[in-house]
Amino acid sequence: MSADNPRQSLQRQTDAFLREFFEKGEMLVKELITENDRLRSALETREEPATVTAEKQGGGGVKVTRDNMVELLMMRISALEHECDEIRKIAGNVEEESGGFRSRLDSLESEHYHLASMFVAGSQFHSATSFEEVLRTTTEILLNFVGAGAFVIFLVDEERQVLFPVAREGGKAEEIDELELTGDQAGPAQAALVALGRPWKHGDPDFKMGNELINLPLVSGTRLVGVARIESFLAQKHGFADNDHQLLGLISEHAGIGLENAWVRAHAKEVPMQRQSIEHLVGA
């Protein structure tokens, strides 16, 4: 009898442990069921259209119960993940549109800067009245707006049919030789410059005679009065942009007109303006 006591005591302890374990487990299950019921009631009483029914979760309208709670919650999680994906897509589209607006803004700022450059360049040429002012304006535009780092400005000696240097950026003008426009020493580029007969525009030849970037004709009407030979860019610039071509066209025309006007002013006699003379000039 005494030998059975230890076994009986161990059995009782085991039974007591198991009974306590299952009682606690039963209490836990009841608490979970109560909590699930509370959550179900809260979900079912929500006023938004997406109530927690199996119909909204893809379950055909079956109400939430203890048996299908986990399954329906998983379906709800899946639906929420889908909504998150949609929100991410919308956010991505907004970000893309924002990037498009930024690109458009940058484009408008660039266009505004270009128009301002054209206006300033044209105004400077219109206000220039002497060779010195026209050459200075041409130099400033090539440097500050076009980004040319080294260039030479030639004028035409029409009697001798040569180009002679009058201004240079990146060295001394005296170091540059004259260029023949006609004759045996003139090449095809010089002949093409003389034959152009109008201001340069985008799409015209570069009239290269060597390693320079472009020989830009300076033309007044059909008269070639000079050439701007652009040899290299500034360090931060690597090529001509579309806006540069419009500036080069403006220089070709307005610098040419400015140089011819300066020549006429320098050789015309200064006389007072008179009504009779003006009416005769305008045919009144």
Side-chain angles (χ1 to χ4, degrees):
M1 185 70 178
S2 61
D4 293 334
N5 289 336
R7 288 195 297 269
Q8 291 176 358
S9 176
L10 180 60
Q11 182 66 42
R12 285 194 300 270
Q13 292 178 13
T14 303
D15 292 342
F17 174 80
L18 292 174
R19 188 165 50 252
E20 182 181 2
F21 177 82
F22 285 115
E23 287 177 356
K24 290 182 178 180
E26 185 178 1
M27 292 176 60
L28 179 60
V29 170
K30 289 180 178 179
E31 289 176 1
L32 288 174
I33 292 174
T34 302
E35 180 65 13
N36 286 339
D37 290 337
R38 187 187 66 78
L39 291 173
R40 183 191 64 184
S41 299
L43 290 172
E44 289 179 348
T45 55
R46 288 177 62 184
E47 295 181 357
E48 63 182 51
T51 58
V52 184
T53 64
E55 181 177 1
K56 289 297 181 181
Q57 308 302 328
V62 178
K63 294 292 184 179
V64 179
T65 65
R66 289 193 298 271
D67 296 332
N68 62 9
M69 170 62 76
V70 175
E71 180 181 356
L72 294 181
L73 286 176
M74 293 300 296
M75 294 174 66
R76 179 58 177 165
I77 291 172
S78 178
L80 290 174
E81 289 178 347
H82 178 72
E83 291 180 12
C84 288
D85 290 338
E86 293 297 325
I87 292 173
R88 291 189 188 99
K89 290 180 181 179
I90 294 173
N93 291 336
V94 171
E95 184 177 357
E96 183 177 352
E97 291 179 3
S98 177
F101 290 141
R102 168 54 59 184
S103 176
R104 179 55 178 161
L105 179 59
D106 292 341
S107 176
L108 289 174
E109 289 178 349
S110 176
E111 184 176 352
H112 179 268
Y113 175 78
H114 170 63
L115 291 175
S117 300
M118 295 286 288
F119 175 79
V120 171
S123 299
Q124 289 292 102
F125 277 125
H126 291 164
S127 63
T129 58
S130 65
F131 275 102
E132 182 181 3
E133 291 176 346
V134 175
L135 294 175
R136 183 172 62 250
T137 297
T138 304
T139 298
E140 290 175 351
I141 295 172
L142 288 174
L143 275 172
N144 300 323
F145 293 158
V146 178
F151 53 86
V152 182
I153 300 176
F154 297 88
L155 294 184
V156 176
D157 185 328
E158 293 179 323
E159 288 187 353
R160 298 169 52 227
Q161 284 296 293
V162 298
L163 292 169
F164 63 95
V166 293
R168 184 185 183 189
E169 182 67 28
K172 296 180 179 180
E174 295 79 10
E175 299 173 351
I176 304 298
D177 296 330
E178 292 182 340
L179 299 174
E180 299 284 343
L181 278 176
T182 58
D184 297 337
Q185 299 298 321
Q190 289 95 313
L193 281 167
V194 174
L196 183 62
R198 58 170 174 78
W200 184 92
K201 62 181 181 180
H202 184 36
D204 285 342
D206 295 335
F207 305 109
K208 291 183 179 180
M209 304 175 193
N211 296 325
E212 67 272 17
L213 299 173
I214 185 175
N215 283 299
L216 182 69
L218 309 180
V219 181
S220 178
T222 60
R223 183 184 184 184
L224 179 67
V225 297
V227 171
R229 183 174 74 188
I230 302 177
E231 299 173 338
S232 65
F233 294 113
L234 295 171
Q236 65 271 23
K237 192 177 179 71
H238 305 289
F240 288 119
D242 291 339
N243 292 342
D244 294 333
H245 295 128
Q246 296 184 32
L247 281 169
L248 292 176
L250 183 144
I251 294 171
S252 177
E253 180 177 7
H254 289 268
I257 293 173
L259 290 169
E260 184 175 52
N261 289 341
W263 176 259
V264 171
R265 288 192 185 96
H267 291 82
K269 294 181 180 179
E270 186 175 352
V271 296
M273 295 179 64
Q274 297 177 347
R275 176 175 178 176
Q276 183 177 358
S277 299
I278 294 173
E279 288 179 345
H280 176 71
L281 291 173
V282 300

